[in-house]
Amino acid sequence: MPDPAPLIDPFARAIRYLRVSVTDRCDFRCTYCMAEHMTFLPKAELLTLEELDRLCSGFVRLGVEKLRVTGGEPLVRRGIMTFFEAMARHLRSGALSELTLTTNGSQLARFARPLADLGVRRVNVSLDTLDPQKFAQITRWGRLAQVLDGIRAAQEAGLRIKINTVALKGFNEDELFALTEWCAREGHDLTFIEVMPMGEMGEDARLDRFWSLRDLRARLEERHTVTDLIERTGGPARYLRLEETGQKIGLITPLSHNFCESCNRVRLTCTGELYMCLGQEDMADLRAPLRAGAQLETPEEAEGLLERAIRDAILRKPKGHDFDYSRRVIRGQMPRHMSHTGG
Ligand code: SAM
Ligand code: SF4
């Protein structure tokens, strides 16, 4: 029988939230996330959709209640709805309280309705600008109209939408109010994210683009009464409310350490590497025990092997991370791209 005790790390944090990257590929090339010419993983390295199902189901048996599917762009993975269908059975059983995804929105026009039919209730859509030309510039390959169509389709399917906007100095500073007002009008939640030093992108001087959210907050105060909310989600977001619109706005400052003590999440890559902390390099390979389990005689033995590997990994979850801009290093300090660990 699987061990029913939940996953508790050495700092007494219960792990309830798994983010799983189902592909490293993407139909966009956002300048802060990817180089224009990326070398992607060979297909053989990727977990199959069936393996992803077995792996995520292992986490669900061990008490994970929230699953967020991300990438790369999750909706460009071939057959991805098969995986969502598989995970939806955990929603129906009540084991998962939430199944959700982070997407660039390009494929939502096609997938929003089937996702909603499976029980997905919310979707995070990344959108850094409302200007078609700037959108083409920052995503290199994306088209704004396609994403806005996707967002509309998601709205029509009844999905709640959260817009994720990376705060970029000299790029979308001038759209702060246009973006907040658009979200208020459309009824979308909005979260700003500080740009993180991820990946080796050479030419992209992200320090020049770094726009501190403290600064962004001060800009909001020029036009709004801003109230800090105490609500926390176990993640890096803090929330504030703009009293004039009643809007709740999230701020994700991943470089600060103030959320690590309540961190309830781990990240799985599309090759089965489990990162216990976004800001640390330590990871556990879960693909090997997953594949070794497939050779065992019974499904119970396979599940036992996988669950032991997951528990061992969680015991290595560090207390916190140590990003640091103070050394003024421009090239990424974390050799992984966000598209690898799934942001
Ligand atoms: N393709 C999907 C999307 O764009 O929403 C999911 C994967 S993407 C890696 C997840 C999130 O990470 C996006 O909101 C993106 O803006 C953010 N992101 C990517 N690179 C980042 C960086 N260097 N700093 C901060 N956020 C980043
Ligand atoms: Fe693709 Fe998302 Fe990265 Fe943009 S942020 S390149 S959409 S994975």
Side-chain angles (χ1 to χ4, degrees), residues 17-305:
Y17 184 173
L18 176 67
R19 296 169 82 103
V20 53
S21 170
V22 294
T23 177
D24 61 335
R25 290 163 197 252
C26 187
D27 52 344
F28 291 1
R29 290 289 182 277
C30 303
T31 56
Y32 49 76
C33 178
M34 291 193 184
E36 180 150 22
H37 303 287
M38 296 284 290
T39 311
F40 291 111
L41 293 163
K43 290 237 164 65
E45 296 250 323
L46 291 194
L47 297 179
T48 64
L49 294 171
E50 193 264 335
E51 285 175 324
L52 279 166
D53 175 4
R54 276 197 283 136
L55 199 38
C56 293
S57 298
F59 278 92
V60 172
R61 281 195 303 279
L62 294 174
V64 159
E65 294 167 348
K66 292 189 180 190
L67 189 70
R68 177 173 293 278
V69 180
T70 177
E73 174 47 42
L75 297 181
V76 301
R77 171 128 191 203
R78 186 170 307 161
I80 191 61
M81 288 311 287
T82 314
F83 176 69
F84 277 102
E85 279 157 23
M87 292 303 102
R89 75 181 186 275
H90 299 306
L91 277 179
R92 288 193 299 273
S93 77
L96 272 186
S97 63
E98 184 169 69
L99 173 61
T100 177
L101 69 154
T102 301
T103 172
N104 64 24
S106 70
Q107 309 300 315
L108 271 180
R110 179 169 157 216
F111 289 117
R113 176 68 61 182
L115 286 167
D117 288 347
L118 286 174
V120 172
R121 293 287 162 258
R122 296 194 302 150
V123 55
N124 286 6
V125 183
S126 303
L127 181 64
D128 302 326
T129 172
L130 290 169
D131 176 308
Q133 266 158 17
K134 282 162 77 181
F135 188 84
Q137 180 197 337
I138 200 79
T139 62
R140 290 199 187 100
W141 295 3
R143 281 181 39 244
L144 179 64
Q146 190 178 339
V147 170
L148 294 180
D149 281 350
I151 292 174
R152 215 163 297 122
Q155 249 171 336
E156 283 165 13
L159 297 176
R160 177 126 199 103
I161 293 157
K162 189 173 86 178
I163 301 295
N164 279 342
T165 301
V166 178
L168 296 163
K169 201 181 192 71
F171 178 76
N172 55 14
E173 275 176 298
D174 58 344
E175 286 188 80
L176 177 60
F177 296 110
L179 281 161
T180 49
E181 281 158 22
W182 177 72
C183 286
R185 234 175 15 249
E186 298 290 321
H188 306 323
D189 293 324
L190 173 61
T191 288
F192 289 102
I193 310 175
E194 255 174 20
V195 71
M196 281 188 270
M198 306 292 275
E200 286 289 343
M201 284 179 288
E203 92 284 0
D204 180 28
R206 267 152 298 151
L207 275 182
D208 295 344
R209 287 276 185 223
F210 180 74
W211 178 18
S212 118
L213 294 190
R214 187 177 302 177
D215 199 60
L216 183 148
R217 188 189 186 290
R219 287 277 314 281
L220 286 172
E221 280 184 321
E222 289 170 12
R223 275 203 211 173
H224 292 279
T225 311
V226 176
T227 309
D228 289 305
L229 304 176
I230 38 177
E231 163 184 350
R232 295 304 299 260
T233 55
R238 285 172 297 132
Y239 295 93
L240 47 83
R241 189 171 54 230
L242 304 186
E243 296 301 342
E244 290 75 9
T245 59
Q247 236 173 325
K248 194 174 84 170
I249 292 192
L251 300 180
I252 298 190
T253 46
L255 305 182
S256 69
H257 292 238
N258 57 10
F259 62 90
C260 295
E261 68 279 1
S262 61
C263 179
N264 64 353
R265 58 193 61 195
V266 287
R267 295 174 155 80
L268 187 65
T269 71
C270 53
T271 56
E273 294 169 345
L274 186 73
Y275 283 89
M276 284 69 80
C277 171
L278 180 61
Q280 301 275 2
E281 293 215 45
D282 186 34
M283 59 88 176
D285 171 30
L286 296 181
R287 188 177 59 185
L290 183 72
R291 290 192 172 163
Q295 311 303 319
L296 295 175
E297 291 210 345
T298 66
E300 290 74 22
E301 283 175 283
E303 287 175 6
L305 185 67

Side-chain angles (χ1 to χ4, degrees), residues 284-328:
D285 171 30
L286 296 181
R287 188 177 59 185
L290 183 72
R291 290 192 172 163
Q295 311 303 319
L296 295 175
E297 291 210 345
T298 66
E300 290 74 22
E301 283 175 283
E303 287 175 6
L305 185 67
L306 179 62
E307 286 169 15
R308 277 193 299 283
I310 294 174
R311 283 189 189 286
D312 288 349
I314 296 302
L315 290 177
R316 282 157 51 192
K317 185 167 163 68
K319 193 162 180 209
H321 63 66
D322 49 27
F323 278 123
D324 185 7
Y325 269 114
S326 63
R327 279 174 282 166
R328 303 288 301 173

